[in-house]
Amino acid sequence: MTLEEKVAQLIQGDINGWTPNPNDPEDDTLSYNATGLVEMMKYKAGSIWAGYQMPYDKLAYTIEVGQRYLMENTTLGIPALIQSEGLHGYPNNGTIWPSPIGLAASFNPDLLKQAAATIADEAEGFGINQLFAPDLDLGRELRWGRVEEGYGEDPFLVGAMASAYVDGVQSGSRRNTSSTAIARMAATCKHFAAFGSPQGGLNVAPVTGGERDLRTLYLPPFQKACVKSLAIMTAYSAYDGVPAAGDSHLLVDILRKEWGYKYWVVSDAGCVDLLQNNHQVCDSRECSAKLAVSQYQGEMGGGTYTYLTLPDQVKKGLVSESIIDQTVKYILRTKFALGLFENPYPYKDYKSKIRTPSTLQLLKQMDEEQIILLKNDKNTLPLSKSISSVAVIGPSAGQVLLMIIYYSSGKLPLTAIFGDTPLTKLTHPFFSDYVFHGAAANGISPLDGIKKLLGGTNVKVNYAEGCKLWSNDQSGFADAVTAAKNSDAAVVFVGTWSRDQTELWAGLNATTGEHVDVSDLGLVGASLDLVKTIKATGKPTIVAFISGRPVSEPWIAEHADAIVQQFYPGEMGGLAVAEVLFGDVNPSGKMPISAPRSIGTAPAFYNYLKNSRPGWPGPGKILDDGTLVFDHAYILDSPWPLWSFGDGLSYTTFNYTNLRLSKSTLKASDTLKVTVSVSNTGSRDGKEVVQAYVTDRVASVVTVNQSLQGFQKVNIPKGKTVDVSISIPIQQLQVWSSSNKFLVEPGVFDIKIGSSSLAVLTGNFTVV
């Protein structure tokens, strides 16, 4: 390979170099710009961005043209990595799943693995072979707009869910490849590392921390899930003063040497330019390119393509060609692992896997299992289908739009969702970010879901929007009050909102999403007053939060009769929440992230360091009549969250008994097996998430008050008891010692097991 050919392998190209009008989703021109194709592949040939919204035949044609040129018309015949997004679905009119925070709420890694496999199924046929997911950023700074993209606040849960995603996406091999191909799709773990806790909650801001936080919080999920992934993406941010894209300790010492990672690493879009323009650790593009490539990573687009300076820098002796060589080896290894040298092309039946009945069935299960029942006073839920009417109220219930819905290969198969019911009016659901414009048209809003579910009953649905998500206007309250008064119960849908990629980057309003950060975790506009107004009617009031992060509204937590949390759903989310509200589905989701009472009481994560929440006699509070009750922690509030990690109720009851430990004394090389008997003592079948937490009583450094060390989701029929076993390798209990290395320290450990982080059964064991 010439030096220029090597550098071209390290720079991301784009199909916009040869396909006409890639940003026009209606353009179906099957032609290409031959000059643009040659020019693109001369300088940017290692990976190609193809994450566009375009007709299926045009996308497949465009990718085929690009790969055939590389394979048949270049000296080396090296195929490209073809890239797209994939956080919660293949976005080019593929099936959209719940946001990752919602996927995590299912606490079901096996189901996520199956979901991820369908995402790969849908993308693979078009010739896509790399997806920019999963996101392993810990959700510990809730002001940050991208909390919805990750799997929650806990390293163990994040690692388990991300590992399931990687396994699902990469499992199998592409058609017509040999046994040397070990995967069919490259998962891309991001953002390496410690990206999700920026100062002030502001996107790409620096992250404060030391080696102990890095080793014990931020890196364990990556080590569990990503050593096996075929790609990793570096973070925009700086950690402890060092930009991730230029951090040799992170990218070389730990990732390459300690972990032995041997596959492709790439910067985030425009990230290398930030070394000069934002972090200001470089004074030129040349410096930025040298610093970044010295960490053995490629350069994504979105910037000035600083790597184009590398050939001259090598010739001048400023950059060693051996660094270029080694980095090229990493991308080639990923390509060989994918079997791309044997078959990099789209399949003839490229759309055969899009939104299949089996995928929709899995999607429905996931949309059901991610819903969390947070409160249920006096068994307000489930609502009976024998009531005469129900009020469906709120800005998140659905905006009624007149539309004819099409996607690029023809009319949407709405019969798969609604049967033969004709719909001329569809409400507009909000999905998480990283979906394309119009994707919401494939979904079901809560209002449509409730109407569909109650279609064969005599229950009347009284709908009123009440207010807009983004407005203080209360002129719609009167209609909402009328709807509530004319109904037996009211369900008020409120929460946050995100935008698809077109709207988000156009600057439309939103309260979650990339570069959408907040200073308040409560509801925006008139939503809280709407809930209060409906509650004042005296009718049973159920609040359904649809959001990309927890909503901090203590008044609702105290006064609503029942509360349901649905993190941004997938396409079946509206039907799923309807089935939960009316009891067709027993909720089984758990909080993957804690909900503080306000931004002033954050952070509220459950795994806080010992002594972080001192036991003052407080807390203080402000009563409904305005009376101030002062105390010390805090003077007018509480550090304890509204809902903690792992919380989630059911329509049945579970009883935990007979905690057994396989051993009472263990060595560092042992594995503890914890077994508990769980009985369904209620009147209906239910799924329970059995959670095991461990506390290190005495350590050489300050450790967390408790940490999740295992969980299992089980289905337990009513009246039945099952034994659930969770294995905990003692190595998981290691601490980053004051000598800057991991040690399993001898001593006594407490173990708790139950249905949340407030576990009910306790025991202890000793490590020698």
Side-chain angles (χ1 to χ4, degrees), residues 323-407:
I323 294 175
I324 308 293
D325 291 346
Q326 183 59 57
T327 311
V328 171
K329 288 179 182 178
Y330 289 134
I331 192 171
L332 292 179
R333 184 175 286 116
T334 290
K335 293 178 181 183
F336 277 113
L338 291 168
L340 297 185
F341 287 88
E342 300 171 274
N343 180 21
Y345 305 116
Y347 304 150
K348 298 300 182 184
D349 59 343
Y350 49 76
K351 61 184 179 183
S352 64
K353 297 292 187 179
I354 296 289
R355 205 172 285 106
T356 65
S358 60
T359 294
L360 291 178
Q361 188 61 41
L362 278 174
L363 171 64
K364 185 172 184 293
Q365 182 182 349
M366 181 63 84
D367 266 323
E368 292 168 353
E369 290 202 18
Q370 73 114 330
I371 295 174
I372 308 162
L373 179 62
L374 293 175
K375 182 181 180 181
N376 196 20
D377 281 359
K378 299 179 181 178
N379 293 320
T380 300
L381 292 177
L383 296 173
S384 170
K385 292 181 183 176
S386 298
I387 60 176
S388 61
S389 58
V390 61
V392 178
I393 295 169
S396 299
Q399 300 174 341
V400 179
L401 303 174
L402 293 173
M403 60 174 66
I404 300 174
I405 307 175
Y406 287 86
Y407 68 96

XYZ file of all heavy atoms in Angstrom, residues 323-407:
684
model
N 3.007 4.089 12.925
C 1.721 4.363 13.584
C 0.587 4.236 12.574
O -0.466 3.642 12.870
C 1.740 5.770 14.216
C 2.746 5.827 15.355
C 0.344 6.159 14.701
C 2.909 7.209 15.960
N 0.782 4.767 11.376
C -0.214 4.631 10.317
C -0.434 3.150 10.007
O -1.579 2.684 9.910
C 0.233 5.373 9.040
C 0.611 6.833 9.347
C -0.848 5.287 7.972
C -0.504 7.701 9.767
N 0.655 2.412 9.884
C 0.558 0.988 9.556
C -0.264 0.231 10.594
O -1.134 -0.578 10.254
C 1.952 0.368 9.465
C 2.747 0.860 8.269
O 2.135 1.464 7.362
O 3.977 0.656 8.248
N 0.034 0.474 11.861
C -0.669 -0.267 12.901
C -2.155 0.090 12.918
O -3.015 -0.785 13.113
C -0.053 0.031 14.272
C -0.675 -0.768 15.417
C -0.555 -2.261 15.201
O 0.531 -2.807 15.027
N -1.692 -2.951 15.191
N -2.474 1.345 12.706
C -3.876 1.760 12.704
C -4.616 1.148 11.527
O -5.773 0.726 11.655
C -3.979 3.297 12.668
O -3.127 3.851 13.671
C -5.403 3.757 12.923
N -3.964 1.072 10.364
C -4.571 0.416 9.211
C -4.814 -1.062 9.502
O -5.846 -1.633 9.110
C -3.679 0.587 7.963
C -4.178 -0.285 6.804
C -3.649 2.048 7.533
N -3.902 -1.704 10.202
C -4.094 -3.118 10.552
C -5.380 -3.312 11.349
O -6.096 -4.304 11.165
C -2.901 -3.627 11.359
C -1.624 -3.805 10.555
C -0.483 -4.294 11.456
C 0.819 -4.422 10.681
N 1.937 -4.861 11.570
N -5.690 -2.359 12.233
C -6.889 -2.502 13.054
C -8.160 -2.453 12.205
O -9.080 -3.248 12.405
C -6.923 -1.412 14.125
C -5.895 -1.587 15.225
C -5.123 -0.505 15.652
C -5.698 -2.818 15.834
C -4.181 -0.656 16.661
C -4.753 -2.981 16.841
C -3.999 -1.890 17.251
O -3.069 -2.034 18.248
N -8.222 -1.524 11.240
C -9.437 -1.460 10.419
C -9.526 -2.663 9.487
O -10.614 -3.200 9.253
C -9.541 -0.133 9.636
C -10.957 0.012 9.051
C -8.492 -0.019 8.553
C -11.238 1.364 8.445
N -8.386 -3.121 8.982
C -8.415 -4.300 8.117
C -8.845 -5.541 8.894
O -9.571 -6.396 8.365
C -7.038 -4.520 7.485
C -6.583 -3.468 6.466
C -5.189 -3.811 5.939
C -7.574 -3.347 5.313
N -8.429 -5.629 10.147
C -8.834 -6.781 10.955
C -10.352 -6.795 11.136
O -10.990 -7.855 11.073
C -8.122 -6.761 12.302
C -8.443 -7.995 13.151
C -7.637 -8.033 14.428
N -6.242 -8.395 14.164
C -5.207 -7.605 14.388
N -5.392 -6.390 14.868
N -3.982 -8.013 14.133
N -10.934 -5.622 11.370
C -12.389 -5.554 11.490
C -13.057 -5.975 10.182
O -14.059 -6.706 10.180
C -12.824 -4.126 11.884
O -12.426 -3.878 13.237
C -14.328 -3.951 11.774
N -12.515 -5.548 9.059
C -13.101 -5.910 7.767
C -13.000 -7.407 7.502
O -13.943 -8.031 6.987
C -12.433 -5.105 6.648
C -12.742 -3.616 6.709
C -12.026 -2.829 5.615
C -12.345 -1.353 5.720
N -11.728 -0.549 4.642
N -11.853 -8.005 7.827
C -11.719 -9.452 7.662
C -12.685 -10.193 8.590
O -13.273 -11.209 8.207
C -10.277 -9.891 7.927
C -9.370 -9.741 6.748
C -8.330 -8.811 6.764
C -9.537 -10.523 5.609
C -7.487 -8.662 5.668
C -8.691 -10.383 4.512
C -7.662 -9.453 4.534
N -12.851 -9.682 9.815
C -13.769 -10.323 10.763
C -15.199 -10.306 10.257
O -16.001 -11.186 10.602
C -13.678 -9.630 12.120
N -15.528 -9.317 9.435
C -16.874 -9.211 8.871
C -17.026 -9.975 7.555
O -18.137 -10.031 7.007
C -17.220 -7.734 8.634
C -17.426 -6.882 9.888
C -17.461 -5.402 9.532
C -18.706 -7.294 10.615
N -15.951 -10.518 7.038
C -16.025 -11.225 5.766
C -16.236 -10.312 4.574
O -16.726 -10.751 3.526
N -15.854 -9.054 4.686
C -16.134 -8.095 3.624
C -15.324 -8.366 2.362
O -15.762 -8.027 1.251
C -15.890 -6.669 4.114
C -16.780 -6.192 5.261
C -16.503 -4.723 5.567
C -18.252 -6.404 4.945
N -14.147 -8.942 2.504
C -13.354 -9.240 1.314
C -14.008 -10.342 0.474
O -13.698 -10.492 -0.704
C -11.937 -9.650 1.715
C -11.093 -8.501 2.193
C -11.096 -8.111 3.528
C -10.312 -7.790 1.294
C -10.322 -7.046 3.964
C -9.527 -6.727 1.727
C -9.545 -6.342 3.063
N -14.920 -11.075 1.096
C -15.635 -12.141 0.381
C -16.981 -11.667 -0.160
O -17.374 -12.041 -1.270
C -15.843 -13.334 1.314
C -14.546 -13.929 1.836
C -14.792 -14.955 2.916
O -14.907 -14.579 4.102
O -14.894 -16.148 2.561
N -17.692 -10.853 0.606
C -18.999 -10.371 0.145
C -19.373 -9.083 0.869
O -19.965 -9.123 1.950
C -20.088 -11.414 0.374
C -21.447 -10.929 -0.111
O -21.539 -10.021 -0.938
N -22.502 -11.532 0.404
N -19.066 -7.936 0.287
C -19.428 -6.665 0.914
C -20.731 -6.064 0.376
O -21.081 -4.948 0.737
C -18.251 -5.771 0.528
C -17.912 -6.221 -0.863
C -18.181 -7.716 -0.881
N -21.445 -6.799 -0.485
C -22.504 -6.186 -1.280
C -23.889 -6.306 -0.630
O -24.136 -7.215 0.170
C -22.546 -6.836 -2.664
C -21.224 -6.780 -3.381
C -20.528 -7.954 -3.687
C -20.655 -5.566 -3.734
C -19.295 -7.905 -4.341
C -19.423 -5.507 -4.387
C -18.750 -6.680 -4.678
O -17.534 -6.630 -5.302
N -24.801 -5.424 -1.020
C -26.205 -5.577 -0.594
C -26.780 -6.884 -1.133
O -26.305 -7.441 -2.131
C -26.899 -4.364 -1.236
C -25.814 -3.369 -1.482
C -24.594 -4.184 -1.798
N -27.826 -7.354 -0.465
C -28.509 -8.557 -0.911
C -29.628 -8.176 -1.877
O -30.186 -7.083 -1.799
C -29.092 -9.325 0.279
C -28.092 -9.691 1.354
C -28.503 -9.805 2.678
C -26.753 -9.933 1.056
C -27.600 -10.149 3.681
C -25.845 -10.278 2.047
C -26.276 -10.378 3.366
O -25.389 -10.713 4.352
N -29.968 -9.098 -2.754
C -31.049 -8.823 -3.700
C -32.384 -8.618 -2.979
O -33.222 -7.815 -3.410
C -31.176 -9.975 -4.701
C -29.922 -10.194 -5.563
C -29.585 -8.962 -6.380
C -28.372 -9.207 -7.274
N -27.966 -7.980 -8.013
N -32.602 -9.360 -1.907
C -33.850 -9.225 -1.141
C -33.644 -8.281 0.040
O -34.039 -8.561 1.169
C -34.332 -10.585 -0.651
C -33.318 -11.292 0.240
O -32.122 -10.881 0.226
O -33.693 -12.237 0.957
N -33.031 -7.122 -0.224
C -32.583 -6.225 0.835
C -33.679 -5.755 1.770
O -33.429 -5.419 2.924
C -31.861 -5.017 0.237
C -32.584 -4.319 -0.887
C -33.662 -3.491 -0.654
C -32.167 -4.497 -2.207
C -34.324 -2.860 -1.698
C -32.810 -3.862 -3.250
C -33.894 -3.043 -3.002
O -34.538 -2.417 -4.034
N -34.913 -5.710 1.328
C -35.979 -5.205 2.204
C -36.811 -6.319 2.837
O -37.811 -6.039 3.496
C -36.885 -4.251 1.443
C -37.606 -4.844 0.252
C -38.397 -3.761 -0.482
C -39.109 -4.344 -1.708
N -39.818 -3.300 -2.467
N -36.377 -7.561 2.702
C -37.189 -8.685 3.184
C -37.249 -8.771 4.696
O -38.145 -9.409 5.248
C -36.638 -10.000 2.617
O -35.320 -10.250 3.091
N -36.298 -8.123 5.373
C -36.260 -8.214 6.834
C -36.856 -6.983 7.522
O -36.848 -6.899 8.750
C -34.811 -8.392 7.300
C -34.148 -9.677 6.823
C -34.771 -10.902 7.458
C -33.996 -12.163 7.103
N -34.584 -13.360 7.744
N -37.357 -6.039 6.751
C -37.878 -4.811 7.344
C -39.244 -5.056 7.968
O -40.164 -5.547 7.312
C -37.985 -3.702 6.280
C -36.602 -3.336 5.748
C -38.684 -2.471 6.851
C -35.724 -2.596 6.719
N -39.360 -4.760 9.223
C -40.609 -4.762 9.968
C -41.422 -6.042 9.729
O -42.598 -5.997 9.370
C -41.432 -3.509 9.645
C -42.400 -3.120 10.750
C -43.089 -1.781 10.521
N -42.160 -0.677 10.787
C -41.605 0.066 9.831
N -41.872 -0.145 8.579
N -40.779 1.035 10.147
N -40.769 -7.156 9.942
C -41.433 -8.444 9.754
C -42.387 -8.716 10.919
O -42.272 -8.111 11.993
C -40.408 -9.580 9.686
O -39.740 -9.674 10.956
C -39.386 -9.339 8.576
N -43.355 -9.633 10.740
C -44.261 -9.967 11.855
C -43.523 -10.423 13.109
O -43.905 -10.057 14.226
C -45.131 -11.086 11.262
C -45.140 -10.806 9.796
C -43.754 -10.285 9.485
N -42.463 -11.199 12.941
C -41.734 -11.668 14.122
C -41.024 -10.517 14.821
O -40.952 -10.477 16.061
C -40.724 -12.748 13.724
O -39.776 -12.249 12.784
N -40.511 -9.549 14.038
C -39.880 -8.379 14.646
C -40.901 -7.554 15.402
O -40.652 -7.100 16.527
C -39.206 -7.518 13.561
O -38.124 -8.251 12.991
C -38.658 -6.226 14.156
N -42.069 -7.358 14.811
C -43.108 -6.577 15.483
C -43.580 -7.256 16.763
O -43.921 -6.584 17.748
C -44.284 -6.342 14.540
C -44.016 -5.410 13.351
C -45.247 -5.297 12.466
C -43.577 -4.033 13.837
N -43.592 -8.572 16.770
C -43.987 -9.286 17.980
C -42.962 -9.067 19.094
O -43.328 -8.834 20.257
C -44.135 -10.780 17.688
C -44.741 -11.588 18.834
C -46.143 -11.134 19.199
O -46.953 -10.837 18.322
N -46.441 -11.055 20.486
N -41.690 -9.146 18.740
C -40.645 -8.852 19.723
C -40.736 -7.407 20.195
O -40.576 -7.116 21.387
C -39.268 -9.099 19.113
C -38.727 -10.519 19.074
C -37.419 -10.545 18.303
C -38.537 -11.069 20.478
N -40.976 -6.496 19.265
C -41.097 -5.081 19.603
C -42.230 -4.859 20.592
O -42.083 -4.104 21.569
C -41.328 -4.268 18.337
C -41.693 -2.793 18.529
C -40.560 -2.035 19.197
C -42.044 -2.151 17.192
N -43.349 -5.497 20.357
C -44.490 -5.349 21.269
C -44.124 -5.817 22.671
O -44.450 -5.164 23.670
C -45.695 -6.124 20.742
C -46.974 -5.928 21.558
C -48.154 -6.575 20.846
C -49.443 -6.301 21.613
N -49.483 -6.975 22.930
N -43.401 -6.936 22.751
C -42.983 -7.428 24.065
C -42.051 -6.440 24.750
O -42.190 -6.163 25.951
C -42.304 -8.791 23.936
C -41.880 -9.380 25.276
C -41.153 -10.709 25.134
O -41.123 -11.314 24.055
N -40.555 -11.172 26.228
N -41.114 -5.884 23.990
C -40.198 -4.926 24.591
C -40.925 -3.664 25.024
O -40.667 -3.121 26.110
C -39.072 -4.589 23.618
C -38.040 -3.609 24.166
S -37.114 -4.214 25.609
C -35.833 -5.167 24.784
N -41.820 -3.172 24.194
C -42.578 -1.989 24.572
C -43.403 -2.238 25.831
O -43.608 -1.330 26.642
C -43.487 -1.547 23.416
C -42.847 -0.481 22.536
O -42.145 0.388 23.083
O -43.046 -0.510 21.315
N -43.876 -3.457 26.007
C -44.626 -3.795 27.219
C -43.700 -3.892 28.436
O -44.002 -3.345 29.499
C -45.349 -5.135 27.021
C -46.460 -5.097 25.997
C -46.952 -6.477 25.603
O -46.339 -7.490 26.028
O -47.940 -6.559 24.859
N -42.579 -4.581 28.272
C -41.724 -4.870 29.427
C -40.967 -3.652 29.930
O -40.456 -3.666 31.052
C -40.745 -5.995 29.089
C -41.416 -7.346 28.938
C -40.453 -8.507 29.126
O -39.363 -8.303 29.700
O -40.804 -9.625 28.701
N -40.869 -2.577 29.136
C -40.135 -1.409 29.605
C -40.989 -0.463 30.432
O -40.475 0.449 31.062
C -39.516 -0.653 28.417
C -40.501 0.122 27.560
C -40.287 1.630 27.624
O -39.833 2.174 28.626
N -40.625 2.310 26.549
N -42.300 -0.666 30.466
C -43.177 0.254 31.194
C -43.094 -0.031 32.693
O -43.159 -1.179 33.136
C -44.622 0.133 30.694
C -44.699 0.591 29.228
C -45.572 0.959 31.558
C -46.046 0.376 28.577
N -42.974 1.043 33.472
C -42.755 0.937 34.920
C -43.961 1.499 35.654
O -44.390 2.632 35.403
C -41.496 1.717 35.339
C -40.292 1.308 34.487
C -41.201 1.505 36.829
C -39.147 2.304 34.536
N -44.491 0.722 36.566
C -45.546 1.201 37.460
C -44.876 1.758 38.710
O -44.299 1.017 39.503
C -46.495 0.054 37.825
C -47.642 0.397 38.773
C -48.580 1.438 38.155
C -48.418 -0.867 39.150
N -44.944 3.074 38.890
C -44.244 3.730 39.992
C -45.109 3.898 41.227
O -44.613 3.909 42.354
C -43.741 5.104 39.535
C -42.642 5.104 38.479
C -42.325 6.532 38.038
C -41.387 4.418 38.994
N -46.395 4.053 41.024
C -47.299 4.282 42.156
C -48.666 3.723 41.800
O -49.107 3.830 40.647
C -47.406 5.776 42.455
C -48.285 6.134 43.651
C -48.347 7.648 43.859
C -49.224 8.006 45.055
N -49.315 9.478 45.252
N -49.353 3.162 42.806
C -50.678 2.590 42.540
C -51.511 2.580 43.814
O -51.832 1.526 44.365
C -50.547 1.176 41.970
C -51.827 0.694 41.321
O -52.691 1.495 40.955
N -51.975 -0.617 41.170
N -51.861 3.776 44.297
C -52.645 3.889 45.518
C -54.017 3.248 45.349
O -54.704 3.452 44.334
C -52.829 5.360 45.896
C -51.604 5.941 46.581
O -50.627 5.188 46.783
O -51.610 7.145 46.889
N -54.394 2.466 46.339
C -55.723 1.850 46.399
C -56.051 1.075 45.122
O -57.219 0.994 44.713
C -56.793 2.912 46.665
C -56.607 3.649 47.980
C -57.672 4.714 48.193
C -57.443 5.452 49.508
N -58.448 6.527 49.732
N -55.013 0.507 44.512
C -55.191 -0.296 43.297
C -55.995 0.450 42.234
O -56.897 -0.111 41.593
C -55.853 -1.634 43.627
C -54.957 -2.531 44.466
O -53.748 -2.600 44.229
N -55.527 -3.196 45.456
N -55.635 1.723 42.051
C -56.289 2.513 41.007
C -56.150 1.843 39.647
O -57.077 1.861 38.830
C -55.663 3.921 40.962
O -55.854 4.549 42.232
C -56.297 4.767 39.877
N -55.006 1.269 39.402
C -54.757 0.507 38.185
C -54.738 -0.980 38.503
O -54.368 -1.381 39.620
C -53.426 0.928 37.564
C -53.347 2.337 36.991
C -51.929 2.632 36.485
C -54.354 2.541 35.871
N -55.109 -1.818 37.556
C -55.534 -1.461 36.199
C -56.969 -0.961 36.160
O -57.788 -1.331 37.003
C -55.394 -2.780 35.443
C -55.634 -3.835 36.475
C -55.021 -3.301 37.744
N -57.238 -0.125 35.180
C -58.600 0.325 34.951
C -59.430 -0.826 34.404
O -58.940 -1.679 33.665
C -58.613 1.486 33.966
C -57.905 2.773 34.412
C -57.845 3.762 33.265
C -58.600 3.385 35.622
N -60.705 -0.821 34.767
C -61.605 -1.868 34.293
C -62.175 -1.501 32.931
O -62.465 -0.333 32.655
C -62.751 -2.062 35.292
O -63.752 -2.894 34.743
N -62.362 -2.496 32.098
C -63.019 -2.273 30.810
C -64.536 -2.229 30.948
O -65.256 -2.103 29.948
C -62.611 -3.360 29.819
C -61.149 -3.294 29.415
C -60.792 -4.376 28.419
C -59.302 -4.344 28.076
N -58.914 -5.439 27.175
N -64.982 -2.297 32.194
C -66.421 -2.174 32.454
C -66.824 -0.759 32.827
O -68.014 -0.486 33.003
C -66.833 -3.138 33.582
O -66.591 -4.475 33.208
N -65.864 0.141 32.982
C -66.228 1.527 33.266
C -66.915 2.116 32.041
O -66.773 1.621 30.915
C -65.005 2.372 33.658
C -63.961 2.406 32.526
C -64.374 1.831 34.936
C -62.760 3.295 32.810
N -67.631 3.198 32.255
C -68.384 3.775 31.139
C -67.522 4.666 30.265
O -67.756 4.760 29.057
C -69.580 4.566 31.675
O -69.126 5.640 32.498
N -66.503 5.314 30.870
C -65.703 6.241 30.077
C -64.367 6.499 30.746
O -64.223 6.345 31.966
C -66.448 7.559 29.878
O -66.765 8.146 31.124
N -63.406 6.910 29.940
C -62.091 7.282 30.443
C -61.652 8.547 29.725
O -61.876 8.700 28.516
C -61.066 6.151 30.230
C -60.891 5.829 28.756
C -59.730 6.495 30.868
N -61.070 9.474 30.472
C -60.520 10.687 29.881
C -59.057 10.453 29.538
O -58.281 10.006 30.394
C -60.667 11.867 30.834
N -58.685 10.731 28.318
C -57.294 10.678 27.872
C -56.881 12.116 27.614
O -57.381 12.766 26.692
C -57.134 9.812 26.620
C -55.688 9.812 26.152
C -57.606 8.390 26.898
N -55.969 12.604 28.442
C -55.670 14.033 28.494
C -54.165 14.234 28.413
O -53.385 13.380 28.849
C -56.234 14.644 29.805
C -57.762 14.563 29.811
C -55.769 16.087 30.012
C -58.379 14.889 31.154
N -53.772 15.371 27.887
C -52.379 15.763 27.989
C -51.673 15.897 26.657
O -52.032 15.248 25.664
N -50.626 16.706 26.630
C -49.903 16.968 25.385
C -49.131 15.772 24.866
O -48.799 15.731 23.677
C -48.956 18.107 25.777
C -48.772 17.969 27.260
C -50.086 17.485 27.772
N -48.834 14.782 25.713
C -48.121 13.595 25.252
C -49.060 12.476 24.830
O -48.608 11.436 24.368
C -47.179 13.080 26.352
O -46.212 14.043 26.687
N -50.377 12.698 24.989
C -51.330 11.680 24.556
C -51.385 11.601 23.043
O -51.631 10.538 22.481
C -52.714 11.980 25.122
N -51.167 12.710 22.379
C -51.114 12.666 20.928
C -51.661 13.920 20.282
O -52.709 14.431 20.674
N -50.950 14.413 19.302
C -51.444 15.509 18.485
C -52.109 14.907 17.260
O -51.504 14.103 16.554
C -50.294 16.431 18.063
C -49.562 17.049 19.239
C -48.335 17.830 18.788
O -47.844 17.637 17.688
N -47.860 18.715 19.637
N -53.343 15.256 17.006
C -54.070 14.676 15.888
C -53.617 15.331 14.596
O -53.673 16.552 14.438
C -55.589 14.857 16.063
C -56.337 14.270 14.870
C -56.031 14.181 17.351
N -53.142 14.507 13.657
C -52.661 14.992 12.371
C -53.413 14.282 11.263
O -53.688 13.079 11.355
C -51.150 14.718 12.204
C -50.220 15.305 13.271
C -48.803 14.820 13.025
C -50.257 16.824 13.231
N -53.727 14.986 10.209
C -54.288 14.370 9.015
C -53.129 13.997 8.112
O -52.363 14.858 7.688
C -55.236 15.335 8.300
C -56.522 15.669 9.049
C -57.278 16.754 8.308
C -57.390 14.440 9.203
N -52.992 12.715 7.815
C -51.851 12.318 6.996
C -52.146 11.024 6.269
O -52.941 10.204 6.713
C -50.595 12.152 7.859
C -50.687 11.109 8.953
S -49.130 10.858 9.808
C -48.919 12.415 10.607
N -51.492 10.875 5.133
C -51.416 9.592 4.444
C -49.987 9.117 4.604
O -49.056 9.826 4.243
C -51.769 9.724 2.958
C -53.190 10.268 2.803
C -51.646 8.387 2.245
C -53.572 10.559 1.369
N -49.798 7.962 5.154
C -48.466 7.525 5.555
C -47.900 6.546 4.534
O -48.489 5.516 4.242
C -48.504 6.868 6.945
C -49.176 7.800 7.936
C -47.106 6.526 7.406
C -49.354 7.184 9.280
N -46.745 6.889 4.000
C -46.043 6.013 3.069
C -44.583 5.894 3.499
O -44.040 6.785 4.121
C -46.079 6.565 1.641
C -47.430 6.446 0.987
C -48.390 7.426 1.172
C -47.734 5.345 0.212
C -49.638 7.322 0.582
C -48.980 5.232 -0.387
C -49.928 6.216 -0.200
O -51.154 6.099 -0.778
N -43.967 4.799 3.196
C -42.515 4.748 3.252
C -42.025 4.317 1.885
O -42.814 4.057 0.975
C -42.012 3.829 4.375
C -42.258 2.357 4.220
C -41.279 1.540 3.689
C -43.451 1.782 4.650
C -41.480 0.180 3.571
C -43.662 0.421 4.530
C -42.674 -0.379 3.998
O -42.883 -1.714 3.884
